[in-house]
Amino acid sequence: MGNVILGKTYTGTFPNNKQQRNYGDKEKYLLENAHEPIIEHEKFEKVQEEIIHRSNVEIVDGKIKRKRTHYSSKKRT
């Protein structure tokens, strides 16, 4: 879509100079239209909706719940 998120990782202070993932410890920045998009925004949103539609997981009252517990792709007879 042409967007980029900055601040996904950060480097700690001395003596722990290791690069760490940012799980909300530091601020993140979203730059929109930072480069030429690979996919249009509308198409991206449609794909995200389809991924949610096909997912076996749904969130109910803040808890993760499976829609189905049968994992085989074969139909039961």
Side-chain angles (χ1 to χ4, degrees):
M1 294 186 341
N3 300 339
V4 64
I5 298 175
L6 302 175
K8 292 186 277 187
T9 61
Y10 65 95
T11 304
T13 57
F14 183 80
N16 185 15
N17 305 22
K18 293 184 179 180
Q19 191 174 30
Q20 300 171 348
R21 295 221 25 209
N22 185 1
Y23 293 108
D25 305 330
K26 307 279 184 177
E27 195 167 351
K28 294 181 185 180
Y29 302 95
L30 172 64
L31 292 178
E32 295 180 355
N33 300 320
H35 54 81
E36 188 174 337
I38 297 171
I39 187 171
E40 299 87 23
H41 183 72
E42 297 80 22
K43 195 176 283 189
F44 177 81
E45 292 301 326
K46 286 182 181 179
V47 169
Q48 297 306 305
E49 290 173 12
E50 187 64 24
I51 288 172
I52 291 170
H53 174 73
R54 292 183 182 195
S55 175
N56 187 32
V57 176
E58 61 185 351
I59 299 175
V60 179
D61 298 328
K63 296 183 179 179
I64 296 175
K65 180 182 175 187
R66 297 225 175 251
K67 295 177 188 174
R68 299 172 296 279
T69 56
H70 186 71
Y71 295 105
S72 176
S73 62
K74 297 178 183 177
K75 292 193 175 223
R76 293 183 186 186
T77 56

